[in-house]
Amino acid sequence: MRLLDPLPETDEPDGAIPGDTPLAEVEAAAVGANRLTIRFGAFRDGRGFSLASILRERGYGGELIAAGDLLPDQARHLKRSGFDAVRLNAGADPAEWRAMLAVIDTVYQPASDVAVPVWHRRAAVETLEQKAARLDARYRDADPETVLAAAHREFPGRIAQLSSFGAEAAVSLHLLAQVDPATPVLFLDTGQHFLQTLSYRDKLTARLGLTNVKIVLPDAAERAGEDPKNDMWRSDPDACCDLRKVRPLGRAAAAYDALITGRKRYQATTRERLAVFEVLDGQVRVNPLANLDADEVEARFDDHDLPAHPLADQATLRSVAGPAPARCGRARMPARAAGPAPTRWSAAFT
């Protein structure tokens, strides 16, 4: 841990966050910030330690600096809480701090020390299911923007969005573009899409400024061996789904801890209790649009002047996957009246 030179008494560390700042405001300030300074108003006030450890627990990887009324004896706990540096008040004795930090840097070994960093202890005992339950309890009634921002804080660099660029996809993708347009978007190209869907994908990607749309394809060798005539959907739609959807998406999604979907509670009776954070197949699913109803979805199209899918006014599949009347096991039906999907993956798309 580094010791930074004191600032003049009249100066305040740039962007310093008081230790009594509400956690939600601190989390908001941390988004995109490479450095945060937490100011301790009094050495007896431990809230700064809590803020630092929670930020680390939730994935903040930037530099954390402690500033304010601190004592050299607190150096070890500052380090255990996740601080990288200490900026002293004017008038503090740097020699005492340097002596304490030298001792800590010599003997502090988190791998063997029973007093491991506090955020490591908390993270180690929280299962994936517990984490999803904690997040859902906190954000279940939150607006989509808040849910998605929280998801990015909780799973930095390990989160992706699933999208078929279907009838309502523009709403969820517009939301994603506002939070982080570089987030990976997994688009499953089954080889059976309408040309209008592929054109819409490209148009929407450019319009929203999405920079990381990943095209997921079935394995060429598997497809050649199992469906050489591209007609498996006629005789065995479930096997077709497994070949063209389940397996390729399973491989692509394995690189992420959390997947964002466009599912909403109003879409089907089976989704009436849809959580905003849940665990499916060993991964967290984030459903930021769960709380929206059909009118609110339409309003977002209007408010943000989002382009409609060229086939949205026709009785086509929600996934707009292809011309067959029962492509991959789902019957042709209006875009916003589709029932439960036959596979775990088609349920995740918008």
Side-chain angles (χ1 to χ4, degrees):
M1 191 163 62
R2 298 180 296 115
L3 184 63
L4 304 179
D5 293 335
L7 293 174
E9 292 187 13
T10 56
D11 288 353
E12 179 77 7
D14 291 340
I17 298 172
D20 60 356
T21 303
L23 177 59
E25 295 181 20
V26 177
E27 289 183 311
V31 176
N34 295 322
R35 174 184 298 173
L36 286 178
T37 298
I38 297 177
R39 177 167 50 79
F40 289 72
F43 71 87
R44 294 182 297 273
D45 189 346
R47 286 174 289 185
F49 297 107
S50 298
L51 288 177
S53 62
I54 291 173
L55 285 173
R56 292 303 192 199
E57 177 188 354
R58 297 186 178 180
Y60 179 69
E63 184 179 35
L64 283 180
I65 300 172
D69 191 2
L70 294 163
L71 299 176
D73 290 345
Q74 294 174 304
R76 184 169 183 266
H77 193 50
L78 287 169
K79 183 162 187 172
R80 289 180 56 211
S81 297
F83 284 102
D84 302 292
V86 180
R87 187 180 296 280
L88 306 183
N89 278 339
D93 185 356
E96 292 184 12
W97 277 90
R98 280 195 290 268
M100 182 61 71
L101 292 177
V103 172
I104 292 174
D105 289 339
T106 299
V107 303
Y108 186 77
Q109 299 178 12
S112 58
D113 186 358
V114 293
V116 296
V118 291
W119 77 90
H120 285 181
R121 291 209 310 269
R122 281 204 293 265
V125 300
E126 186 178 48
T127 66
L128 197 62
E129 288 75 13
Q130 289 170 334
K131 183 171 187 175
R134 169 175 61 81
L135 293 172
D136 187 63
R138 180 174 181 181
Y139 296 107
R140 183 169 182 80
D141 297 319
D143 59 65
E145 289 77 9
T146 300
V147 173
L148 191 58
H152 277 78
R153 290 194 300 271
E154 293 287 341
F155 305 98
R158 299 285 296 174
I159 189 169
Q161 172 139 348
L162 299 171
S163 182
S164 66
F165 286 79
E168 296 177 348
V171 173
S172 60
L173 292 171
H174 173 266
L175 176 64
L176 183 72
Q178 304 310 302
V179 175
D180 184 0
T183 302
V185 177
L186 306 183
F187 172 77
L188 178 63
D189 189 345
T190 63
Q192 303 290 342
H193 282 287
F194 286 111
L195 292 179
Q196 292 95 324
T197 294
L198 301 180
S199 176
Y200 184 64
R201 176 199 65 195
D202 297 341
K203 176 182 178 180
L204 201 56
T205 297
R207 167 75 177 275
L208 299 178
L210 301 171
T211 61
N212 198 8
V213 175
K214 296 179 178 292
I215 310 301
V216 179
L217 298 168
D219 182 86
E222 291 179 354
R223 191 174 65 178
E226 299 176 37
D227 190 16
K229 297 182 180 180
N230 288 330
D231 60 358
M232 182 186 288
W233 60 271
R234 296 179 183 275
S235 59
D236 194 343
D238 288 339
C240 178
C241 269
D242 183 64
L243 170 65
R244 296 178 180 274
K245 288 185 177 182
V246 177
R247 276 181 265 167
L249 264 180
R251 289 188 287 263
Y256 306 98
D257 294 332
L259 299 173
I260 306 161
T261 85
R263 293 181 296 164
K264 310 162 194 73
R265 293 177 187 139
Y266 78 83
Q267 288 174 322
T269 56
T270 54
R271 296 182 182 177
E272 289 178 351
R273 298 181 180 275
L274 181 67
V276 293
F277 287 90
E278 60 181 341
V279 176
L280 292 175
D281 303 311
Q283 285 176 308
V284 172
R285 293 291 193 278
V286 185
N287 307 309
L289 306 185
N291 289 319
L292 297 187
D293 59 29
D295 290 339
E296 290 170 319
V297 171
E298 293 292 349
R300 286 186 176 242
F301 268 96
D302 295 337
D303 293 345
H304 302 293
D305 193 26
L306 299 175
H309 193 288
L311 300 177
D313 59 347
Q314 301 180 28
T316 53
L317 300 179
R318 178 186 304 278
S319 62
V320 202
R327 181 74 63 200
C328 278
R330 184 197 285 259
R332 187 182 292 257
M333 60 187 68
R336 295 197 177 111
T343 74
R344 60 179 176 147
W345 291 115
S346 50
F349 286 113
T350 58

